[in-house]
Amino acid sequence: MTRALAILLLLVVALAAASLSLGPADVTLPESLRALLLGGDGPLPMVMREIRLPRVLLALMIGGTLGLAGAAMQGYLRNPLAEPGLLGVSASAALGAVLA
């Protein structure tokens, strides 16, 4: 169990680092990490700190929150196949979107 958790954690860190180097500019992973950690002059450190890093952090937080919500619902209902439609959450969200 702990080995699988460690592998998943390393995979999340590797994918987050790779996500920092993805974008329309042709920048390698070492260049993007150097600009993020060391800063400096030019547009790359600003792009890393104001666009790409918040994007990665937001994706990690949203993914973790959705995972925890799913695990909580499965634990609460004691059903490993539980999903939001079981309680009508999807229909209520659609109603809220239509009303908005």
Side-chain angles (χ1 to χ4, degrees), residues 25-87:
D26 189 25
V27 180
T28 63
L29 181 61
E31 288 175 352
S32 61
L33 291 177
R34 188 177 315 114
L36 179 65
L37 297 175
L38 300 178
D41 295 332
L44 186 59
M46 184 179 68
V47 167
M48 292 300 294
R49 288 192 178 131
E50 294 184 13
I51 297 174
R52 292 186 183 180
L53 184 63
R55 177 185 68 185
V56 169
L57 294 177
L58 188 63
L60 288 173
M61 287 188 292
I62 289 173
T65 303
L66 287 173
L68 285 173
M73 180 178 289
Q74 289 174 353
Y76 178 70
L77 297 174
R78 295 185 183 140
N79 181 358
L81 299 176
E83 49 98 15
L86 191 62
L87 297 176

